[in-house]
Amino acid sequence: MVSSGNGKNSMNRLDVHETQIDIGKWHRHNFPSATATDQLVIVMEELGETAHAHMKMKQGIRTDEDHMSNLKDGVADIFISLCAFCELSGIDLESCI
């Protein structure tokens, strides 16, 4: 968390570098044979799913679904899969942004 200077925590901040390392450890444990190419395909898959949710929301179809929740899940999945891709590729995501 980041302190606002008045002793109160004003917002939560994500440490991208530490998060990438943590996700990398989790990913290597759960998917030990995955390659960077495998993971890049997953990043693209998650991006497609997120785009699909956005399109449904914009078009006003499938109103029984929680499109905003699907979008938020998709964004999180993109970030997680991108962190895993970066770990497998030797890229420090934080330094890219």
Side-chain angles (χ1 to χ4, degrees):
M1 283 202 229
V2 176
S3 174
S4 62
N6 62 4
K8 295 181 181 178
N9 294 321
S10 61
M11 64 181 123
N12 291 325
R13 294 273 177 152
L14 183 69
D15 183 320
V16 175
H17 181 75
E18 290 299 319
T19 301
Q20 177 180 330
I21 291 169
D22 291 345
I23 289 170
K25 289 176 186 174
W26 171 85
H27 189 268
R28 281 188 297 279
H29 175 77
N30 289 290
F31 307 100
S33 63
T35 66
T37 301
D38 298 333
Q39 194 58 36
L40 183 57
V41 170
I42 292 171
V43 172
M44 293 185 291
E45 177 187 12
E46 296 298 348
L47 183 59
E49 289 177 8
T50 305
H52 187 74
H54 177 72
M55 181 180 69
K56 288 190 294 186
M57 184 172 72
K58 183 177 180 199
Q59 293 174 342
I61 60 175
R62 296 188 186 163
T63 56
D64 59 320
E65 295 180 22
D66 185 349
H67 298 306
M68 185 54 69
S69 178
N70 292 341
L71 280 172
K72 289 178 180 182
D73 287 345
V75 169
D77 289 346
I78 291 167
F79 178 74
I80 291 166
S81 59
L82 184 60
C83 283
F85 168 74
C86 288
E87 271 295 292
L88 290 168
S89 300
I91 298 170
D92 177 10
L93 180 58
E94 190 171 65
S95 71
C96 296
I97 53 178

